[in-house]
Each structure stands twice: as structure tokens, then as C-alpha cells.
Amino acid sequence: MTKSVPHVVREPIDLPQAQVPLGRVHVIVERCKQCNFCIKYCPTEVLEYSEDINAKGYHYPIVADGKEFACVNCRFCDLICPELAIYTTDISDADDTAEASDGG
Amino acid sequence: MSATEQTIQPAANIHPIDRLLRADRLPHILCAGCGIGTVIHGYANSIAASGIDENNHVCVSGIGCSGRAAGYVNVDSYHTTHGRALPFALGIAVHKPELNVTVISGDGDLTAIGGNHFIHAARRNVNLNVICINNFNYGMTGGQVGPTTPIGAKGTTAPFGAVERPFNLPYLAKATGAIFVARWTILHVREFHEALVRSMQKPGFCFIEILAPCPTSFGKSNKIGDGLHEVEIYRERCQVQNGAPHLNDFDIDLLDESKPIVVGNFVDVERDAFME
Ligand SMILES: Cc1ncc(C[n+]2csc(CCOP(=O)(O)OP(=O)(O)O)c2C)c(N)n1
Ligand code: SF4
Ligand code: SF4
Ligand code: SF4
Ligand SMILES: [Mg+2]
């Protein structure tokens, strides 16, 4: 017999203060070989392929339109990249507009 | 703000971990979608996280695409002859015990031509971190079947499918005396990284099997279209069983969709290391 368990929704006690980190994506375009790992496994679907190609003929990841503030800096795209072609930095504390227009 | 503005191409085109890689040789020669690069990347990250002086890390590889690892890491490294990464590494570990020696090589190099060295290095509990990049075939030479090719999988030397039972590497490593044994895939990058840091900090024979796609040789013969396709198989079928007491059932059958691929940190025990 299965016991019925009361349905409880638990909210983290620090929810009001919890801050999701904001990351910024850096791509070393000429290293990318278009394996798709970073795009496929980004948990917040930040990335998509560029229209441009690099010197070897590969499309590389860029931040998709509308996803400019979606990167949570989890670093998974970086860790799984076989080419060391992508990484992220934490810009949670930066002045977003100033940072975003700095052009790298 | 447009998407292209938000994606920054770093001015110097340097990755934060480049100092531990021979970045002047990047992009490397490995194929698009090959998993070996993720392992090399993970090794560099693990060196940085190990708490061990970076100058005391040494990397030894054998021959094969996996064996190229030694050529891309910016620590003292040795690209030995085929199958001989382990005896070469043993020499370093015994002569200079202050060094932290990691062997990165392929399934063929470590368990076919180098299989005898493997069982005796494990038996003696030599202080080594051994990473076997298992791509189920001899990738470099065009996809011959080897000791880890699953039954039924095709290769250039088995056009109708392999008929021999493959090695179950964690089971072999445990049975022959390894004190740390893990199996992960390149999708489990964080777990692999933790297992490798643990291995670096643990004196004795530590073994990590890491499954990695070889789309060019293995994939092509087995209707696995690209690297991502194989990683998707890992994602769908991997089952984590950390500390599983019995490893004998954990054979890998990549082609039978009904069978799980069991991964995890399986063994973590203490035993006196060789010459200690
Ligand atoms: C003594 C000797 N025998 C055979 C070869 C040919 N050979 C080069 S690489 C290789 C197999 C490599 O397979 P593996 O270790 O699995 O590496 P992978 O390329 O799959 O990463 C073989 C048989 C060789 N180089 N030397
Ligand atoms: S750091 Fe995480 S969230 Fe940001 S782009 Fe990479 S995978 Fe996506
Ligand atoms: S994981 Fe790396 S190589 Fe693959 S598509 Fe992304 S940036 Fe390119
Ligand atoms: S042949 Fe296979 S193992 Fe070798 S680089 Fe290409 S994909 Fe990787
Ligand atoms: Mg191989």
C-alpha cells in the first residue's frame, strides 16, 4: 500500500536574497570546430551558432538574441569544450550596460 | 545590446587555463567532436585545483590520438612508444617520488599492447594517476577493434561486428589492485575533474576510465553520426552508482539501448604504495 504524502512546496529560506550570477561569454573564434557541445548542454540555452564562419569554415557559438542576460556563469560550456574555445566571466557586480558595450 | 556585442571575442584570444597548455599549438589536430580535447582540458583544470605545485606535475602518454595529450600540456611531458606509457611513468614515479605523474592514453595503448604493464602497475600499486580515454577502438589508425570494443560493434577489422567479450576496465583495475577506480564520460566533466583531483592527492595506483566519442573512426562504422550523437547516448543511458560494491556487471554495450552505462567513483581504499 502506498502512503499518501501531503504535498508540501518548500521555498528556500533565503529566496528573497538569493542572487543568480550573471555571466558573460567569451569565444576564441578560431579554435572552435562546431562540435555543438556548448550549445546543446547550456542549461539556460544562451548560445546559438554564428552566421559567420571562422578560418577553418566552422560556425561558432554566439549569445542568442534575447539571451543577453541569461548566462548564469555555470561554466559548463567552458568545461566541456574540447577546443578551449569558450569561457565565461562573472559580471554580476559590474554595471551591466557599461560592461556589455565594452567590446572586449 | 545585440547578440554579437554580448559575445565577446577576447582581445588576446587567451583562455584562462592556457598557461597549463601549449596554447601555441592550438587548435589541436584532433577531429571535430572528438572527446579527447575535453580530457586534456580537464587535466589542466585538475592540475590547477590539485593544490600540488604545478611544476611537480608530469604527463606521460603512449601512441594514439589519446596519446597526443602529452604534446598539448604545459608541464614536463613524455610521448613514449606504443604501450609503454606505464613502464616509463613507473620509472619517473619511483625515481622522483616528489613528482605527480599522470598517464593519459587510449584504450588500445593501455589495455591491448600495454595491457601487461597495466595489470602489474596496478598490482604493485605504483603511485600513478592513470586516465584511459576509451573510445572503443584504435582511432588513430582508422578504427580497428580492440579490447574495449563492445560485442556487435563494427570496426575496420570486424566488418560484421566484434565477437569477443570486451574488458570491463573498472572491474579489471579493481581486481588487479587499483586503490581508486572511476568511470565517467566527457559529459560528466565535473565528476571527472573531482575524481582526477582525488587521484592526484592519493598515493598509489588510481585509475579513471573516461568514455569519449571518436566520431571519425568508431562513430562512422557504427552509425553514430557525430560526437554529439555519442554524448547524447551517454546522457540517455548513463546511470551513476558511486561506491557500487560489485563491478562485474558493468560491461558497456554501447549499441544495446536497453542496457545502462554505469558510471561512478567505484573504489577508494587505502593500501601501501609501491616502494613505500
Ligand atoms: C609498436 C606499434 N604497433 C602499432 C602501432 C600503430 N598504432 C598507432 S596508434 C595505435 C592504436 C591507438 O589506439 P588507442 O590507444 O585506443 O588510441 P586512440 O587513437 O583510439 O585514441 C596503433 C595500433 C604503433 N604506432 N606502434
Ligand atoms: S556558463 Fe553556463 S549558462 Fe553561461 S553560456 Fe556557459 S553553459 Fe550557458
Ligand atoms: S564546445 Fe567549443 S568547439 Fe564545440 S561548438 Fe562550442 S566553442 Fe566550438
Ligand atoms: S580519429 Fe577519433 S580519436 Fe582520433 S582525433 Fe579523430 S575522432 Fe579523435
Ligand atoms: Mg582508442
Side-chain angles (χ1 to χ4, degrees):
Chain A
M1 199 184 76
T2 37
K3 261 203 233 160
S4 72
V5 180
H7 183 70
V8 184
V9 179
R10 290 225 245 141
E11 261 191 19
I13 49 170
D14 62 346
L15 192 61
Q17 300 98 298
Q19 205 205 347
V20 180
L22 177 64
R24 176 196 232 179
V25 179
H26 306 256
V27 178
I28 305 172
V29 168
E30 296 307 328
R31 288 186 187 177
C32 176
K33 290 185 191 154
Q34 202 183 329
C35 73
N36 216 341
F37 295 167
C38 59
I39 295 177
K40 174 80 184 176
Y41 297 114
C42 169
T44 52
E45 296 177 355
V46 169
L47 305 168
E48 66 179 18
Y49 278 127
S50 63
E51 281 180 21
D52 291 349
I53 50 171
N54 66 16
K56 284 182 185 279
Y58 294 116
H59 296 279
Y60 49 88
I62 58 165
V63 174
D65 268 331
K67 295 286 184 166
E68 291 79 2
F69 298 100
C71 172
V72 293
N73 198 34
C74 71
R75 296 190 58 222
F76 198 76
C77 53
D78 174 5
L79 299 176
I80 199 161
C81 176
E83 311 293 332
L84 296 111
I86 186 168
Y87 66 93
T88 56
T89 46
D90 190 329
I91 55 164
S92 309
D93 299 328
D95 170 351
D96 292 339
T97 12
E99 266 285 329
S101 57
D102 116 27
Chain B
M1 182 171 60
S2 78
T4 30
E5 274 169 350
Q6 172 65 5
T7 315
I8 301 299
Q9 192 179 348
N13 277 333
I14 291 172
H15 186 281
I17 204 71
D18 269 4
R19 72 170 195 289
L20 288 170
L21 294 149
R22 302 191 196 192
D24 55 323
R25 296 189 182 176
L26 298 178
H28 52 59
I29 58 148
L30 306 167
C31 306
C34 175
I36 296 169
T38 305
V39 180
I40 297 172
H41 186 171
Y43 174 57
N45 284 336
S46 302
I47 291 176
S50 67
I52 297 160
D53 185 349
E54 289 174 4
N55 294 315
N56 281 351
H57 282 275
V58 177
C59 180
V60 182
S61 292
I63 299 295
C65 298
S66 305
R68 306 298 295 223
Y72 291 112
V73 292
N74 191 21
V75 295
D76 283 342
S77 64
Y78 304 86
H79 192 188
T80 68
T81 51
H82 197 23
R84 310 300 169 227
L86 281 170
F88 193 95
L90 180 151
I92 301 169
V94 169
H95 184 61
K96 292 208 173 256
E98 70 277 17
L99 298 181
N100 202 278
V101 186
T102 301
V103 173
I104 306 180
S105 217
D107 47 280
D109 188 78
L110 285 169
T111 71
I113 189 170
N116 203 31
H117 300 300
F118 183 88
I119 59 177
H120 294 290
R123 174 179 64 81
R124 290 166 165 153
N125 200 22
V126 183
N127 185 16
L128 297 173
N129 321 309
V130 179
I131 302 168
C132 180
I133 302 177
N134 182 3
N135 53 20
F136 308 105
N137 80 143
Y138 300 165
M140 176 166 270
T141 44
Q144 296 80 2
V145 300
T148 61
T149 310
I151 291 178
K154 293 186 175 135
T156 51
T157 49
F160 303 108
V163 292
E164 300 166 14
R165 185 184 169 180
F167 272 144
N168 166 345
L169 292 179
Y171 187 40
L172 175 71
K174 181 182 181 182
T176 49
I179 57 162
F180 180 87
V181 178
R183 174 195 280 158
W184 295 106
T185 78
I186 63 148
L187 184 62
H188 300 84
V189 266
R190 292 185 204 279
E191 292 86 346
F192 166 65
H193 172 81
E194 277 170 26
L196 184 51
V197 171
R198 173 84 183 125
S199 302
M200 287 170 171
Q201 292 169 349
K202 202 171 155 76
F205 191 92
C206 297
F207 175 71
I208 304 171
E209 173 184 24
I210 181 153
L211 308 185
C214 165
T216 305
S217 295
F218 186 78
K220 201 167 66 187
S221 307
N222 291 288
K223 299 200 177 89
I224 299 172
D226 56 14
L228 184 71
H229 182 167
E230 186 163 326
V231 179
E232 277 293 279
I233 296 175
Y234 305 154
R235 190 179 62 77
E236 283 157 15
R237 301 214 351 239
C238 279
Q239 200 182 77
V240 180
Q241 289 195 31
N242 285 321
H246 304 296
L247 307 183
N248 50 322
D249 293 336
F250 298 168
D251 284 13
I252 296 172
D253 189 335
L254 203 63
L255 306 177
D256 180 348
E257 286 171 25
S258 68
K259 292 205 183 122
I261 300 169
V262 181
V263 296
N265 295 321
F266 302 128
V267 175
D268 194 340
V269 295
E270 305 299 324
R271 185 159 75 85
D272 282 349
F274 188 51
M275 308 269 282
E276 258 177 29

Short mmCIF file of all heavy atoms in Angstrom, two decimals, chain A residues 23-25 38 41-47 70-78 86 88, ligand 2:
data_model
loop_
_atom_site.label_atom_id
_atom_site.label_comp_id
_atom_site.label_asym_id
_atom_site.label_seq_id
_atom_site.Cartn_x
_atom_site.Cartn_y
_atom_site.Cartn_z
N GLY A 23 26.69 35.85 -16.12
CA GLY A 23 27.96 35.57 -16.79
C GLY A 23 28.05 36.23 -18.14
O GLY A 23 27.04 36.63 -18.73
N ARG A 24 29.27 36.37 -18.58
CA ARG A 24 29.48 36.90 -19.92
C ARG A 24 30.31 35.89 -20.71
O ARG A 24 31.27 35.32 -20.19
CB ARG A 24 30.23 38.21 -19.82
CG ARG A 24 30.55 38.77 -21.16
CD ARG A 24 31.59 39.82 -20.98
NE ARG A 24 31.15 41.03 -21.62
CZ ARG A 24 31.86 42.14 -21.63
NH1 ARG A 24 32.97 42.21 -20.95
NH2 ARG A 24 31.43 43.17 -22.28
N VAL A 25 29.94 35.70 -21.96
CA VAL A 25 30.53 34.65 -22.78
C VAL A 25 31.67 35.21 -23.63
O VAL A 25 31.51 36.24 -24.28
CB VAL A 25 29.45 34.04 -23.70
CG1 VAL A 25 30.04 32.96 -24.59
CG2 VAL A 25 28.28 33.50 -22.89
N CYS A 38 28.69 22.92 -26.45
CA CYS A 38 28.36 24.07 -25.60
C CYS A 38 26.92 24.52 -25.83
O CYS A 38 26.20 24.85 -24.88
CB CYS A 38 29.32 25.22 -25.85
SG CYS A 38 29.35 25.81 -27.55
N TYR A 41 24.36 21.76 -24.37
CA TYR A 41 24.31 21.47 -22.94
C TYR A 41 24.27 22.72 -22.05
O TYR A 41 24.31 22.60 -20.82
CB TYR A 41 25.44 20.53 -22.54
CG TYR A 41 25.30 19.19 -23.23
CD1 TYR A 41 26.22 18.75 -24.17
CD2 TYR A 41 24.19 18.39 -22.98
CE1 TYR A 41 26.05 17.54 -24.84
CE2 TYR A 41 24.01 17.18 -23.64
CZ TYR A 41 24.94 16.76 -24.57
OH TYR A 41 24.76 15.57 -25.23
N CYS A 42 24.16 23.90 -22.63
CA CYS A 42 23.97 25.09 -21.79
C CYS A 42 22.61 24.99 -21.12
O CYS A 42 21.59 24.87 -21.79
CB CYS A 42 24.03 26.36 -22.65
SG CYS A 42 23.48 27.80 -21.71
N PRO A 43 22.57 25.04 -19.78
CA PRO A 43 21.29 24.83 -19.10
C PRO A 43 20.27 25.93 -19.35
O PRO A 43 19.07 25.71 -19.17
CB PRO A 43 21.68 24.78 -17.62
CG PRO A 43 22.99 25.49 -17.53
CD PRO A 43 23.68 25.25 -18.84
N THR A 44 20.73 27.11 -19.75
CA THR A 44 19.76 28.19 -19.98
C THR A 44 19.68 28.57 -21.46
O THR A 44 19.15 29.63 -21.80
CB THR A 44 20.10 29.42 -19.10
OG1 THR A 44 21.47 29.77 -19.32
CG2 THR A 44 19.91 29.13 -17.63
N GLU A 45 20.19 27.71 -22.31
CA GLU A 45 20.08 27.87 -23.77
C GLU A 45 20.49 29.26 -24.24
O GLU A 45 19.80 29.92 -25.01
CB GLU A 45 18.66 27.53 -24.23
CG GLU A 45 18.34 26.07 -23.97
CD GLU A 45 16.91 25.68 -24.34
OE1 GLU A 45 16.12 26.55 -24.73
OE2 GLU A 45 16.61 24.49 -24.23
N VAL A 46 21.65 29.67 -23.75
CA VAL A 46 22.16 31.00 -24.07
C VAL A 46 22.70 31.08 -25.50
O VAL A 46 22.63 32.12 -26.15
CB VAL A 46 23.29 31.36 -23.07
CG1 VAL A 46 24.04 32.60 -23.51
CG2 VAL A 46 22.71 31.54 -21.67
N LEU A 47 23.24 29.96 -25.99
CA LEU A 47 24.09 30.04 -27.19
C LEU A 47 23.39 29.56 -28.45
O LEU A 47 22.48 28.72 -28.41
CB LEU A 47 25.35 29.19 -26.95
CG LEU A 47 26.16 29.53 -25.70
CD1 LEU A 47 27.20 28.45 -25.42
CD2 LEU A 47 26.83 30.89 -25.86
N ALA A 70 21.03 35.91 -19.79
CA ALA A 70 20.60 34.58 -19.37
C ALA A 70 21.74 33.69 -18.88
O ALA A 70 21.50 32.66 -18.27
CB ALA A 70 19.87 33.89 -20.51
N CYS A 71 22.98 34.08 -19.14
CA CYS A 71 24.10 33.22 -18.72
C CYS A 71 24.25 33.29 -17.21
O CYS A 71 24.38 34.37 -16.64
CB CYS A 71 25.39 33.66 -19.40
SG CYS A 71 26.84 32.80 -18.75
N VAL A 72 24.25 32.11 -16.55
CA VAL A 72 24.36 32.07 -15.09
C VAL A 72 25.79 31.72 -14.66
O VAL A 72 26.04 31.38 -13.50
CB VAL A 72 23.35 31.08 -14.47
CG1 VAL A 72 21.92 31.58 -14.70
CG2 VAL A 72 23.51 29.67 -15.04
N ASN A 73 26.70 31.79 -15.60
CA ASN A 73 28.12 31.55 -15.32
C ASN A 73 28.38 30.19 -14.66
O ASN A 73 29.22 30.05 -13.79
CB ASN A 73 28.69 32.68 -14.43
CG ASN A 73 30.21 32.72 -14.48
OD1 ASN A 73 30.81 32.43 -15.51
ND2 ASN A 73 30.84 33.04 -13.36
N CYS A 74 27.65 29.16 -15.13
CA CYS A 74 27.85 27.82 -14.56
C CYS A 74 29.14 27.19 -15.06
O CYS A 74 29.62 26.21 -14.53
CB CYS A 74 26.67 26.92 -14.90
SG CYS A 74 26.60 26.47 -16.65
N ARG A 75 29.68 27.70 -16.15
CA ARG A 75 30.95 27.28 -16.75
C ARG A 75 30.87 25.95 -17.50
O ARG A 75 31.90 25.43 -17.92
CB ARG A 75 32.07 27.22 -15.71
CG ARG A 75 32.40 28.58 -15.09
CD ARG A 75 33.66 28.50 -14.26
NE ARG A 75 34.79 28.05 -15.06
CZ ARG A 75 35.69 27.17 -14.64
NH1 ARG A 75 35.61 26.65 -13.44
NH2 ARG A 75 36.69 26.81 -15.42
N PHE A 76 29.68 25.41 -17.67
CA PHE A 76 29.64 24.09 -18.32
C PHE A 76 30.13 24.15 -19.76
O PHE A 76 30.84 23.26 -20.23
CB PHE A 76 28.23 23.48 -18.24
CG PHE A 76 28.25 22.00 -18.48
CD1 PHE A 76 28.70 21.14 -17.49
CD2 PHE A 76 27.89 21.46 -19.71
CE1 PHE A 76 28.77 19.76 -17.72
CE2 PHE A 76 27.95 20.09 -19.94
CZ PHE A 76 28.39 19.24 -18.93
N CYS A 77 29.77 25.22 -20.48
CA CYS A 77 30.22 25.35 -21.88
C CYS A 77 31.74 25.32 -21.94
O CYS A 77 32.34 24.70 -22.81
CB CYS A 77 29.67 26.63 -22.49
SG CYS A 77 30.05 28.12 -21.52
N ASP A 78 32.37 26.00 -20.99
CA ASP A 78 33.83 26.05 -20.92
C ASP A 78 34.39 24.65 -20.64
O ASP A 78 35.22 24.13 -21.39
CB ASP A 78 34.22 27.05 -19.81
CG ASP A 78 35.71 27.10 -19.52
OD1 ASP A 78 36.48 26.45 -20.22
OD2 ASP A 78 36.08 27.81 -18.57
N ILE A 86 35.89 28.49 -25.54
CA ILE A 86 34.83 29.30 -24.93
C ILE A 86 35.03 29.35 -23.42
O ILE A 86 35.48 28.37 -22.82
CB ILE A 86 33.43 28.73 -25.30
CG1 ILE A 86 32.28 29.63 -24.80
CG2 ILE A 86 33.24 27.31 -24.82
CD1 ILE A 86 30.92 29.26 -25.39
N THR A 88 33.61 31.83 -19.69
CA THR A 88 32.71 32.88 -19.21
C THR A 88 33.35 33.59 -18.03
O THR A 88 34.23 33.05 -17.36
CB THR A 88 31.35 32.30 -18.78
OG1 THR A 88 31.57 31.28 -17.80
CG2 THR A 88 30.59 31.71 -19.95
S1 SF4 C 2 28.34 29.48 -18.42
FE1 SF4 C 2 26.58 28.07 -18.29
S2 SF4 C 2 24.82 29.41 -18.58
FE2 SF4 C 2 26.59 30.58 -19.32
S3 SF4 C 2 26.68 30.15 -21.52
FE3 SF4 C 2 28.01 28.67 -20.49
S4 SF4 C 2 26.74 26.85 -20.16
FE4 SF4 C 2 25.35 28.58 -20.61
#
